[in-house]
Amino acid sequence: MAFSSFPDVFSWIQKLPPIQQWETPSKSLNLCPSCSSHPSLKLSLTNLKNTLVSLSIIADYNLPISLWTSKKISPNPMSKKLLDHDGKTVSTMLTNFIEDVLKYCSNKAGPSSVKLPQTYLQNNIGETFNFSFLTLTFVVCIYEAPTDLRASCLHALKEQLACPRSRGVSKLLMRQMGSNIEERWMRSVNLAITNWISELQAARAAVETPSPLFSYSFSTLGLWKVQLYCPVIAMNVEKSSGSAPDDRLTFSLNYHQLEGVIQLNYKVAVQEKWIEIRVNTDNIRCDVVKLLTDSLMSERGAGASEKHFPSRIGLQITPAQQASVISVSVSKSSENASREIGQERGIEAAFEPPSSIGLHFSAGESYTTSLRPWKFEPSVYGNTANLNWFLHDSEDGREVFSSKPSKLALLHPKAWFKNRYSNANRPFTRQGGVIFAGDEYGESVSWKLDKTAMGRLMDWEIKGWIWLTYWPNQHRTFYTETKRLDFTEIVHLNLT
C-alpha cells in the first residue's frame, strides 16, 4: 500500500514479468510529482544480461543522473514474476534499502547486517518494503539530488514520511530491527534532516521538518516503555540570551540528537472493594548524542563537548477512561538541598622578641554546603499524576531551565557547568546524559479504581516534556539557550 502520494513500489515491482520477457532494457516508475519545468525523480530497474537486475534512483534529466544504485540481485529464473514466491528476492532488496540508509550514519559500530524475523516479513513485507524505500529515497535526495530537483522532491517526501500510515509502519519496523540497528537508523535519518535544515537556515528559508520527533511505545509484562529521538536542530527554542553564537559553536550545537527512554513498571492489585494500579519509575534515560565524529566536530565546530544538556523532564500519566477512578496518590518530593555544614574555629597566638613586644591573634570559621543537583517533584491534577525532575545550579540552588548564569559565572573556570562531563561533581554521565532509577527519585503513583473496571483493556496517556539547556562548557561565549520537546504516547493495561 502506498504512503500518501508515494507510489506503491512493492506492488509495481511485484507485477513485473521475469526479466527474460522485458521488451526494453529497463522499467521506470515516477517517485515524486513533477511538472514540465522540473525533471522528475524516478525508480529504474535495469536488466543485466537476463540474469541480474539492479534498482536505481535517478534524476530524469535529458541525460539521466544516477543518485543511488542497489546491489545486483538475481531473481528466481523459475518464477513467473520478477519477485519470487518464497520472498528471497524481495527480502534481499529490502535488506539492501535498510543497510544503505545505515551507511549514512557516522557511527559504524554495531551489527554489520540486518536480519528481520521471517514471521514479520511474511505479515508486513509490502508496507515495510515501501517505507524502507521511501526513507532511502528521502535520505538519498538530501545528499545526492541536484539543487533544482531537491527542494520540490524533499517537500513531497517529507509529507509522505509524516503521514499516519508511514509512522505506524516505522514503529513496527523499529521494534523488529532491534535497539542497536534502531539507534543507527535514527542517527542516519536525523543526520540527514540536520544537514537539510542547516542548508535551509543558511539560505534563510523556512521549513517544517518531517516529523522531527520520532517516538513509539509498547506495553508488555508489567512494563510501559516510550522510546524517542529528535535532532536538536529541530527542537523549539524556548529562550536564549547573549549575542548569537559563532559559526563553530552553532555547528556543534546543531549536530546532536536527543535520545530518550521512559520505562515505567505497573502492577495491578485486586482488593476486596477496589482495584489498585501502582506505577513506579523503572528507568528514565535522556542522552544528547553527537551525529558526527569527534574529529569532524573539532574540525568544523567547537568540539563535541559543546552541546545541550537535560535540565528538566516532565511526565503526565492519565487514565483515558476515568469514570471508574476513585483516587490518585503520589509519593513525596525529594529534598533539593542536602546541607552538610561543618564549622571550624581556631585561634593562633605568637609572641614577638623583646625588641618588639607584641601579641598577635587570628581566628577563622569555615562552612560547607552541598546542593543536590536534581530535585523530584510530583503533583496531582484531577486524575492525572504529574512527575517532574528539575536540575538546579549546585552553587546557588537556582533552577537551570528557567534561569541563566551571570557573565561572571560564565567566565569562572570552576563553575559547575564548566568541564561538566569530566569533573567529579558532574550532574550527568560522562557522555552528557542523565539516568533516573526508581530507587532515587520518587517511589510510585497509585490509582484506586471501582471494581466495575475489571475485565477492561484501559488506555493510558503518557505526555512528556524534555528541556535541553546550553551553557558554555569550554568555549568562550556568553550565549545560552533552552529548547523544549513535547511528546504524547498511548499505552495499555489489561485489568484481568
Side-chain angles (χ1 to χ4, degrees):
M1 185 175 290
F3 298 106
S4 186
S5 60
F6 195 74
D8 188 345
V9 176
F10 177 76
S11 295
W12 178 75
I13 297 177
Q14 195 175 40
K15 293 175 182 177
L16 292 175
I19 53 177
Q20 296 84 354
Q21 300 178 18
W22 289 10
E23 297 175 354
T24 57
S26 65
K27 302 284 186 179
S28 64
L29 176 68
N30 196 33
L31 296 176
C32 288
S34 62
C35 59
S36 57
S37 60
H38 291 284
S40 59
L41 195 67
K42 289 187 174 182
L43 166 64
S44 176
L45 268 69
T46 304
N47 183 345
L48 304 173
K49 300 181 180 179
N50 285 339
T51 58
L52 300 172
V53 66
S54 67
L55 291 76
S56 299
I57 299 174
I58 63 171
D60 192 26
Y61 291 86
N62 291 331
L63 183 62
I65 301 174
S66 177
L67 309 181
W68 169 85
T69 301
S70 72
K71 297 177 181 177
K72 296 176 181 179
I73 300 165
S74 177
N76 183 353
M78 304 303 294
S79 175
K80 295 181 180 180
K81 294 184 177 181
L82 181 63
L83 298 184
D84 53 4
H85 294 291
D86 64 9
K88 183 177 180 181
T89 303
V90 67
S91 179
T92 302
M93 290 181 179
L94 172 59
T95 301
N96 193 172
F97 300 159
I98 295 174
E99 290 179 347
D100 279 12
V101 170
L102 297 179
K103 287 180 181 178
Y104 288 97
C105 177
S106 63
N107 178 17
K108 304 302 181 183
S112 58
S113 61
V114 177
K115 294 183 180 179
L116 299 176
Q118 194 62 37
T119 53
Y120 170 77
L121 292 177
Q122 291 171 354
N123 297 326
N124 304 277
I125 187 65
E127 291 192 329
T128 301
F129 187 97
N130 285 338
F131 171 75
S132 300
F133 186 72
L134 167 61
T135 306
L136 175 64
T137 304
F138 175 75
V139 172
V140 167
C141 194
I142 288 176
Y143 288 109
E144 312 295 344
T147 304
D148 59 339
L149 179 64
R150 184 162 63 245
S152 60
C153 285
L154 284 177
H155 177 76
L157 291 171
K158 79 177 182 67
E159 295 298 327
Q160 293 149 15
L161 277 171
C163 76
R165 180 173 293 278
S166 179
R167 289 179 64 80
V169 175
S170 67
K171 294 176 182 182
L172 290 175
L173 179 59
M174 294 304 104
R175 290 287 311 278
Q176 300 303 319
M177 282 183 178
S179 295
N180 291 357
I181 296 294
E182 173 189 312
E183 286 186 356
R184 290 178 59 198
W185 173 278
M186 292 309 306
R187 291 177 189 180
S188 294
V189 173
N190 283 338
L191 174 57
I193 291 174
T194 299
N195 281 320
W196 179 35
I197 297 176
S198 296
E199 178 183 324
L200 291 169
Q201 287 180 345
R204 300 187 182 279
V207 63
E208 291 185 7
T209 56
S211 302
L213 165 69
F214 173 80
S215 65
Y216 68 88
S217 62
F218 62 88
S219 314
T220 182
L221 302 175
L223 175 72
W224 289 334
K225 181 177 179 180
V226 177
Q227 185 87 38
L228 57 92
Y229 302 88
C230 185
V232 170
I233 194 174
M235 294 176 65
N236 295 323
V237 177
E238 196 162 85
K239 65 186 183 70
S240 62
S241 64
S243 56
D246 58 68
D247 291 344
R248 295 181 68 88
L249 177 58
T250 298
F251 185 90
S252 286
L253 294 181
N254 284 345
Y255 280 88
H256 282 87
Q257 168 175 278
L258 170 65
E259 299 180 3
V261 178
I262 312 295
Q263 292 177 184
L264 303 172
N265 292 324
Y266 67 85
K267 186 176 181 180
V268 178
V270 180
Q271 307 296 335
E272 182 180 353
K273 295 183 179 180
W274 65 78
I275 305 169
E276 183 179 27
I277 298 174
R278 185 175 293 272
V279 177
N280 68 281
T281 301
D282 173 72
N283 235 225
I284 295 178
R285 304 190 295 273
C286 185
D287 290 295
V288 181
V289 179
K290 64 180 182 295
L291 294 172
L292 298 173
T293 61
D294 283 339
S295 59
L296 192 54
M297 294 292 273
S298 297
E299 178 184 339
R300 297 191 56 188
S305 66
E306 295 303 321
K307 62 178 182 177
H308 296 78
F309 53 83
S311 56
R312 179 184 174 185
I313 299 173
L315 295 178
Q316 282 187 353
I317 308 173
T318 307
Q321 299 86 23
Q322 300 191 12
S324 301
V325 178
I326 301 172
S327 67
V328 57
S329 303
V330 296
S331 59
K332 68 176 182 178
S333 301
S334 62
E335 295 182 359
N336 178 42
S338 174
R339 299 183 180 273
E340 300 172 359
I341 302 177
Q343 180 174 307
E344 295 182 2
R345 294 177 178 175
I347 298 177
E348 295 181 0
F351 289 94
E352 298 294 338
S355 58
S356 57
I357 297 176
L359 182 64
H360 295 272
F361 291 92
S362 66
E365 294 183 351
S366 66
Y367 294 86
T368 302
T369 302
S370 66
L371 298 175
R372 192 176 188 181
W374 285 94
K375 175 183 173 63
F376 170 72
E377 186 175 277
S379 63
V380 174
Y381 179 78
N383 291 320
T384 297
N386 300 295
L387 310 177
N388 285 280
W389 291 262
F390 301 88
L391 176 65
H392 289 72
D393 187 326
S394 58
E395 294 179 355
D396 58 22
R398 292 187 302 171
E399 288 180 347
V400 171
F401 88 98
S402 61
S403 62
K404 66 176 183 178
S406 66
K407 289 187 176 181
L408 181 61
L410 289 173
L411 295 174
H412 197 288
K414 293 186 178 180
W416 75 264
F417 49 86
K418 294 286 188 178
N419 301 306
R420 55 180 171 260
Y421 308 122
S422 57
N423 67 49
N425 298 316
R426 60 181 182 269
F428 316 104
T429 64
R430 183 171 287 275
Q431 288 71 35
V434 293
I435 300 175
F436 301 130
D439 57 350
E440 293 178 293
Y441 292 91
E443 295 175 4
S444 64
V445 182
S446 64
W447 287 263
K448 287 183 179 179
L449 275 65
D450 191 298
K451 291 198 76 171
T452 57
M454 281 297 295
R456 296 180 186 174
L457 178 65
M458 289 188 66
D459 291 341
W460 293 70
E461 181 186 70
I462 299 179
K463 295 183 69 174
W465 299 264
I466 298 177
W467 285 261
L468 297 183
T469 297
Y470 172 72
W471 290 355
N473 184 35
Q474 296 175 334
H475 193 68
R476 294 183 64 83
T477 179
F478 290 122
Y479 181 74
T480 65
E481 72 174 16
T482 293
K483 292 189 167 190
R484 192 186 77 188
L485 171 72
D486 305 354
F487 63 91
T488 302
E489 288 292 334
I490 301 296
V491 293
H492 312 286
L493 189 153
N494 201 344
L495 296 177
T496 58

